[in-house]
Structures are given as structure tokens and as C-alpha cells.
Amino acid sequence: MPMSLAPSLPAIGPHRLTSRAILAPMAGVTDRPFRALCRRLGAGLVVGEMVTSDPSLWHTRKSRLRMDHRGEPGPRSVQIAGGDAAMLAEAARLNAERGAEIIDINMGCPAKKVCNKAAGSALLRDEALVAEILEAVVAAVDIPVTLKIRTGWCAESNNGVRVARLAEAAGIQALAVHGRHRQQRYQGQAEYDTIAEIKSRVAIPVFANGDIDSATKAAEVLDYTGADAVMVGRGAQGNPWIFREIDHYLAHGQESAPPSAAERQQLLGEHLGALHDFYGEVMGVRIARKHLGWYLERHEPDDAKSLKAAFNRLETPGAQHHFVNELFGLEGLPSAANGTSAA
């Protein structure tokens, strides 16, 4: 359906989204360089990496970098995670003081290290605690608060609809729903019936999440669920162009041309440079390996294994840039695959 005939773009409080495709928060992925890249390529909202609600842990280098939003255009959305209502409320207040314009509460992460601390999707087992947390965080700040959940804790406890109604009653201003329960983690296929039911039962914006890996899939999920937007997670890893592709499909009803080789080369080079600048050379080189690895798996599947092995041996920013230039400029594998690299 062309965008002109589609519902108006959703808003979170005073913040009107610029498109119906949102970058999901992903720990170790949605850092400032990647957020900037996805926003530039059409993401209507980008959400930062999950930050612990315990301020005593914010002094670590990892937390400082996750909370670094310098120079980012708004709205700046910060996701917090924890299991104590008072601590989450204080974390929300402190992040708002540091420039957050939207606070997102994580009740969707399935990771054991999060769930074992009674946080993330583990909270879905205790609806009374869910309500306490939501009310406390909403009361603590004068900026919009959003929530990310799964459909429930397990197949026998698919309580996403009840949690959604609790969220709306507490003043949550938008809700993202991943179409799996916690015990599925990322296995199997996402289901969208629960998301559709949630959308039919609440008035706040609902964002459908889970297995959105193409423009056509985004359109199908929006049509099936009636959701206000899609939230893209793993589908954006190695493929930040997906946001532009979704925007184009929703506006015109047809797929856009894929990015040219020249654009891919330029964008990868810029992404590498941004990672090196943001993290410093040593850490930036290491973090660049996973981002380029995702790209290779998606765009160079036949040679991905050998190309990743070659790239992962490189130790300097210059060598990584040279690799990307050779990847697009020469036939066959870059010379690094043969054990050489540029300094």
C-alpha cells in the first residue's frame, strides 16, 4: 500500500517518527556509529544499546560508550534494563538529565545473564512487578517512556496482551513486541497473531518485531498485524540498507534497486572509519570484525568464511580499509586471504 494511503507516521509523545521502520536495540550492535548509519539510510527511530539500571556500573568503559549520544540528532532513545522499580526509575531520571529524549524499558531480552537477574523477559512472569516498574519509571521523568516485550515467558504463559494493557494504563507511550516467547530465544519462526491481538486491544502505537528481514516481509507484517511500524533487529546486521528498502516499498509498492557496488564500498569504508574513531584503533579494529563479518555473510555468501578469516587477521585500520577496497576493486579474494595485508 503506498505511503500516501497508509496511516500517518506514528509518534512517541512529541516525537513524530520519520518512517515506519525502526532500528531495534541490540547489545553489542546498535552503538553510535551503527545508529548513525541506519538513521542516515532511513530508520525512523534508532534505539541505543541496553544499559544496566545500576548507576554504580556506569563507570566502565563499555557503559560509558553505550551512553555516549554526543552529536546525535533526536529523538535520542535510551534503553534501560533491571528488575528493581526504584533503581530503574532513578536510571531513567539520570539518563534524561544526560540528554535522553525517550526512555525504553527492556522486558524482551532473553539472554540468561539478564533473565537470571530477574530482568529482561524474565519480568513477564510477574505482572505485579511489571506494573510497579512501569508506573515508577513513567512517574520519574517528563519524557516519553516506551516498552519492549515478548509475547510471554513461555508457550503456556503468553501474557503479552495483559502486559500491553498494563503498559497502556501505566502511561507507556509506545510498545514494541517481539513475536516469540522467552523460551524460544531466537529459535523457530516469529508469530504475529499475538502482536495483532495486542494492537487491537490498545490505543498506543505498537511496533512489530521479529524476523523482519526484507521490505516485502515488513509490508506483510504491517498488513497482518495492523502495527504502526516494524522494528528491525538482526535483519539490519550487515544490511543497513533495509530501512531505505522498507521505506521505498511502503511508499511505492515495489522493491527498490539494491545498493550499487560503489555505494557499498563507500558505506563500508565510512562505517569502518566511524568505528575506529569512536572506539580507538585497537578496540575499533576488533569491533569492525563482527560488522564486516555480518556484511560478508549476507552479501558474499560463497566466500564469506574465507573472507572473514582473512579480515579477522588484520590488526590495523589501514589494513581493514585496504581489504574493503580490494574486495570491490579486484576479482577473487582480497590479497589478505593469502596472508598479506596493508599497513
Side-chain angles (χ1 to χ4, degrees):
M1 178 169 57
M3 184 70 79
S4 60
L5 302 179
S8 60
L9 292 171
I12 301 175
H15 306 294
R16 180 73 58 182
L17 273 61
T18 55
S19 85
R20 300 179 74 196
I22 300 168
L23 174 65
M26 293 179 283
V29 183
T30 56
D31 55 17
R32 197 175 79 189
F34 192 65
R35 293 195 302 270
L37 190 61
C38 293
R39 190 191 296 270
R40 176 175 136 199
L41 288 170
L45 176 72
V46 297
V47 186
E49 300 173 86
M50 178 177 65
V51 176
T52 176
S53 61
D54 186 351
S56 70
L57 302 177
W58 290 356
H59 67 280
T60 65
R61 175 178 170 84
K62 179 184 288 187
S63 290
R64 289 198 306 270
L65 288 171
R66 287 188 175 185
M67 298 172 72
D68 187 342
H69 292 262
R70 288 175 296 175
E72 285 194 84
R76 293 179 294 277
S77 179
V78 175
Q79 187 182 74
I80 57 176
D84 180 84
M87 187 175 288
L88 280 159
E90 179 66 3
R93 187 185 66 78
L94 291 172
N95 274 286
E97 288 181 355
R98 295 180 178 214
E101 295 174 290
I102 297 171
I103 295 294
D104 185 59
I105 303 173
N106 183 313
M107 293 189 186
C109 180
K112 287 184 179 180
K113 66 180 180 180
V114 175
C115 290
N116 286 346
K117 296 179 181 179
S121 54
L123 291 168
L124 299 176
R125 292 179 294 184
D126 189 341
E127 293 177 21
L129 179 57
V130 167
E132 180 187 355
I133 287 172
L134 300 181
E135 291 167 3
V137 174
V138 169
V141 294
D142 57 4
I143 60 175
V145 180
T146 60
L147 174 66
K148 189 170 191 293
I149 66 171
R150 288 190 163 227
T151 58
W153 173 257
C154 62
E156 291 72 36
S157 178
N158 228 38
N159 59 342
V161 173
R162 293 198 302 273
V163 171
R165 291 173 68 86
L166 287 173
E168 183 176 40
I172 293 298
Q173 297 198 33
L175 177 68
V177 185
H178 185 113
R180 290 179 173 86
H181 54 73
R182 188 270 164 181
Q183 290 187 354
Q184 286 178 281
R185 297 178 64 84
Y186 296 102
Q187 303 302 312
Q189 293 184 326
E191 58 93 358
Y192 306 109
D193 290 329
T194 303
I195 300 175
E197 185 177 1
I198 287 172
K199 175 58 187 172
S200 73
R201 302 286 291 275
V202 299
I204 58 176
V206 173
F207 308 142
N209 176 228
D211 297 349
I212 310 295
D213 56 6
S214 69
T216 54
K217 182 62 174 287
E220 291 169 2
V221 171
L222 286 171
D223 182 63
Y224 187 82
T225 63
D228 300 275
V230 289
M231 179 172 274
V232 184
R234 290 171 296 160
Q237 293 177 359
N239 188 31
W241 297 277
I242 192 172
F243 299 100
R244 184 174 71 189
E245 292 165 355
I246 291 172
D247 291 347
H248 184 275
Y249 192 90
L250 294 180
H252 303 289
Q254 60 186 19
E255 296 185 43
S256 59
S260 66
E263 182 186 5
R264 285 183 283 144
Q265 179 180 10
Q266 179 180 347
L267 193 103
L268 283 175
E270 291 176 0
H271 192 189
L272 289 180
L275 290 170
H276 300 152
D277 290 342
F278 184 67
Y279 289 105
E281 289 193 3
V282 175
M283 191 173 174
V285 163
R286 292 174 182 171
I287 290 175
R289 291 169 181 160
K290 64 183 175 184
H291 283 278
L292 195 82
W294 290 322
Y295 172 86
L296 293 171
E297 288 172 0
R298 189 178 297 274
H299 298 281
E300 307 288 343
D302 293 340
D303 297 321
K305 184 175 180 180
S306 57
L307 287 169
K308 283 197 295 182
F311 189 79
N312 290 346
R313 290 198 295 269
L314 305 179
E315 299 288 348
T316 67
Q320 290 189 336
H321 280 290
H322 183 72
F323 180 99
V324 169
N325 291 336
E326 281 201 306
L327 181 65
F328 289 93
L330 299 176
E331 293 184 2
L333 302 183
S335 58
N338 298 318
T340 63
S341 67

